[in-house]
Amino acid sequence: MTVILDNVTISYNRHPAVHHVSGRFESGSLTAITGPNGAGKSTLLKGIAGILSPDEGHIRIEGAKRLAYLPQAAELQRDFPMSVLHMIATGYWHKSGALGAITPAMKEQASQALADVGLSGFEKRDISSLSAGQFQRALFARLLLQDALLMLLDEPFAAIDADATEYLLAIIERWHQEKRTVICVLHDLDQIRKHFPECLLLARECIGWGSSNKILSPEYLMNTHLFRQGWNAGTELCERAG
């Protein structure tokens, strides 16, 4: 699936969080979106997921509309009484609907997905009993069951240990090998250089988009710093600023 951004501006209360961004995530690409806090990274991802609508411009997705979105961990409710098996089985909603029964074949696939993320035998555990790393692994197991062609991940490695991160990076690299399109919001520049071939450097506007080794060079990073210094929280949309 290819994602095309055409002069996209997304705002909160008329104040742009993403400003006139254009470009494309090619089908099968593996791209990190990075930039300083408040740069619009999560906002752009929500726009691609269809959660937020652009105030200006267009976001177009070419190909079968099969996408999966993983928000930041802080946005997820974990105190709901639910087993790990039933939580990850929600990944089947695109096949069975919200009230569809979990078949034996689905249970077997769910158990395999848990094994793939290092959680064998966790089917009956309550999600509230999981550590941050275990919960994130379970969310990745749910993504495996969704079997989407476009994966949107918002800071998937935040607050988890190195072992969990390595497990999840291996799954992302597997998706890349399967020619799925993966877009991931990240802060760790070394991690991006090592595991993500493409990078979008964002500071509300696009500072650079291309090879990670090129975009994460001192020149581009300095431009990000300069753009950030010039931010004005009170700026409104262009059509009202004139």
Side-chain angles (χ1 to χ4, degrees):
M1 295 174 67
T2 300
V3 180
I4 300 171
L5 310 180
D6 180 12
N7 199 34
V8 171
T9 293
I10 304 174
S11 70
Y12 293 101
N13 298 320
R14 306 286 305 170
H15 301 299
V18 174
H19 197 230
H20 297 311
V21 174
S22 295
R24 56 192 291 143
F25 300 91
E26 297 292 350
S27 180
S29 60
L30 175 55
T31 308
I33 302 176
T34 195
N37 291 334
K41 304 180 296 295
S42 296
T43 299
L44 179 59
L45 205 67
K46 288 177 180 178
I48 296 170
I51 298 169
L52 297 175
S53 298
D55 295 271
E56 300 176 20
H58 303 280
I59 299 173
R60 189 166 78 253
I61 298 176
E62 294 183 343
K65 301 299 188 291
R66 288 168 51 196
L67 67 83
Y69 168 66
L70 180 64
Q72 293 182 24
E75 299 179 29
L76 298 169
Q77 183 178 357
R78 292 185 54 188
D79 57 359
F80 189 80
M82 179 181 287
S83 71
V84 171
L85 175 64
H86 282 86
M87 189 275 283
I88 72 167
T90 59
Y92 285 124
W93 281 2
H94 67 290
K95 294 181 179 179
S96 63
L99 302 178
I102 303 174
T103 67
M106 288 178 175
K107 287 183 179 179
E108 183 176 349
Q109 289 177 332
S111 293
Q112 183 57 55
L114 285 172
D116 288 346
V117 299
L119 293 180
S120 294
F122 275 65
E123 287 87 347
K124 295 182 180 180
R125 290 271 298 270
D126 193 280
I127 60 173
S128 64
S129 71
L130 301 181
S131 68
Q134 290 168 341
F135 185 62
Q136 200 71 350
R137 292 191 197 201
L139 292 172
F140 265 67
R142 182 173 68 177
L143 291 174
L144 289 172
L145 298 183
Q146 287 182 260
D147 194 30
L149 298 178
L150 172 61
M151 299 291 190
L152 307 174
L153 314 173
D154 196 351
E155 298 190 33
F157 313 126
I160 65 175
D161 60 30
D163 287 343
T165 297
E166 287 303 313
Y167 256 104
L168 303 186
L169 279 169
I171 292 173
I172 289 174
E173 290 174 358
R174 171 174 141 192
W175 287 334
H176 184 47
Q177 292 169 4
E178 294 170 347
K179 306 301 183 184
R180 302 175 194 268
T181 306
V182 182
I183 306 172
C184 186
V185 171
L186 290 174
H187 284 283
D188 189 327
L189 302 188
D190 289 335
Q191 195 174 71
I192 295 172
R193 291 186 182 99
K194 183 176 180 181
H195 297 284
F196 292 79
E198 302 292 319
C199 179
L200 166 57
L201 183 57
L202 199 63
R204 299 189 183 173
E205 299 184 18
C206 176
I207 304 301
W209 194 340
S211 165
S212 294
N213 287 332
K214 175 184 177 182
I215 298 304
L216 298 181
S217 66
E219 177 185 358
Y220 281 96
L221 295 175
M222 178 57 72
N223 286 340
T224 303
H225 178 69
L226 294 174
F227 263 79
R228 187 183 186 188
Q229 286 184 323
W231 285 353
N232 182 350
T235 300
E236 294 194 348
L237 294 177
C238 298
E239 64 184 16
R240 294 188 61 185

